[in-house]
Amino acid sequence: MNRRMFVAAAGFALLAASAVPALADSLDAIKASKTLRIALDLGSPPFGMNDAAMQPTGSDVESAKLLAADLGYTLDLVQVTSPNRVPFLLTGKTDLVMASFSISEERKKVIDFSDPYGVIQIVIAAPKSVTIKDLKDVVGKRLGTTRGSTNDKEVTAQAQGAEMVRYDDDATLITALISGQVNIMASSPQTMASVNARRPNDPLEVKLVVKTNPYAIGIRKGDDALRAVVNEWVHANLRNGKLDAIYKKYNGVGLPAEMLN
């Protein structure tokens, strides 16, 4: 772990230590308020975004609506960006995080996760004219990525010597790739698809798959009762096909078969 990642992890740990005692019994508080606060990143298409009418949409948004409805609570959508997903959870600004939240060992030190309800790949993508056969080929090149994401951390660790150009959310990264500020990205196939929809004459293509990550619902440590309820919901909606249908609607492909059994 480099110094920057160590400092971030240490900061999250301090937040967790101070926040958990004051935020006990989250499920009881949710039941009392009849409101479920779920953090969503609306700058991360197709998981979270605004539609033409500037209304929240995307696979995470639809999944969050389904979760709140199934549990019988009003959904309070709390908008976050990739870097502040963990701090918002630890400081009690939200009850859950559903924001293409990849499970990582670093995050598991300070928060808990539900069982996975989706997957996301970390890829290096560039135009056809750019030759990238392995990570050595990106050394010295500028790679656009989303600050604080697992894409950022994984590629930074594996492609040392690349110049990481970090943007605060996927939407800003997409704009940068469309405008030519950067021409290579370290992100997801979904982000690439959003870019290509707006630069059809010079589309990006996947050069390398760096990693495939399951993503899940972020939950504060100690919220075991809430985690049990969320896990029951995840498994029920994987079995009945609803989460698969939502994923397919926005991602164009279904979930891996092993997740649906």
Side-chain angles (χ1 to χ4, degrees):
M1 179 182 294
N2 62 34
R3 186 177 184 278
R4 186 182 302 166
M5 291 172 65
F6 175 82
V7 170
F12 289 158
L14 288 172
L15 276 171
S18 62
V20 169
L23 298 170
D25 303 318
S26 292
L27 184 58
D28 289 341
I30 292 166
K31 289 178 178 177
S33 67
K34 301 186 186 304
T35 299
L36 185 60
R37 298 173 303 161
I38 300 181
L40 292 145
D41 182 357
L42 300 183
S44 182
F47 306 102
M49 52 198 168
N50 287 308
D51 63 17
M54 296 305 294
Q55 294 301 306
T57 188
S59 58
D60 275 335
V61 174
E62 193 165 330
S63 297
K65 289 178 179 179
L66 179 65
L67 172 58
D70 284 351
L71 298 184
Y73 303 128
T74 299
L75 173 63
D76 180 3
L77 190 160
V78 180
Q79 189 168 348
V80 292
T81 61
S82 184
N84 66 23
R85 291 174 295 184
V86 171
F88 265 52
L89 185 61
L90 294 180
T91 56
K93 295 179 180 178
T94 186
D95 301 310
L96 302 170
V97 177
M98 295 179 72
S100 53
F101 209 9
S102 298
I103 300 168
S104 72
E105 292 304 313
E106 181 184 355
R107 288 171 179 159
K108 285 166 68 176
K109 293 175 183 176
V110 291
I111 66 170
D112 283 337
F113 286 95
S114 71
D115 292 334
Y117 70 100
V119 294
I120 186 169
Q121 288 183 319
I122 299 172
V123 303
I124 305 293
K128 185 176 181 179
S129 58
V130 178
T131 300
I132 298 174
K133 295 182 178 179
D134 56 41
L135 288 172
K136 294 191 294 293
D137 291 332
V138 301
V139 173
K141 292 184 169 65
R142 300 174 77 244
L143 272 64
T145 193
T146 302
R147 188 188 317 277
S149 65
T150 52
N151 308 315
D152 179 4
K153 294 173 183 177
E154 192 71 36
V155 176
T156 297
Q158 290 198 39
Q160 295 184 17
E163 181 185 345
M164 305 301 293
V165 183
R166 296 176 174 90
Y167 298 90
D168 285 337
D169 54 38
D170 286 351
T172 311
L173 170 61
I174 289 166
T175 299
L177 287 158
I178 293 166
S179 65
Q181 295 176 45
V182 288
N183 210 31
I184 306 172
M185 70 163 214
S187 191
S188 69
Q190 291 86 353
T191 299
M192 184 185 74
S194 295
V195 172
N196 289 347
R198 295 166 60 187
R199 54 177 283 177
N201 295 328
D202 187 26
L204 306 181
E205 61 183 25
V206 173
K207 303 293 186 176
L208 299 172
V209 176
V210 179
K211 192 174 183 181
T212 298
N213 284 327
Y215 62 81
I217 300 169
I219 304 169
R220 279 186 294 274
K221 284 190 178 295
D223 271 345
D224 296 334
L226 178 58
R227 186 169 183 263
V229 168
V230 170
N231 275 339
E232 183 179 351
W233 176 85
V234 167
H235 289 290
N237 283 277
L238 286 173
R239 287 193 302 268
N240 66 25
K242 290 183 180 180
L243 284 171
D244 184 45
I246 292 172
Y247 188 89
K248 188 180 298 184
K249 174 180 175 180
Y250 292 94
N251 291 273
V253 295
L255 291 168
E258 58 269 22
M259 289 189 66
L260 304 176
N261 297 329

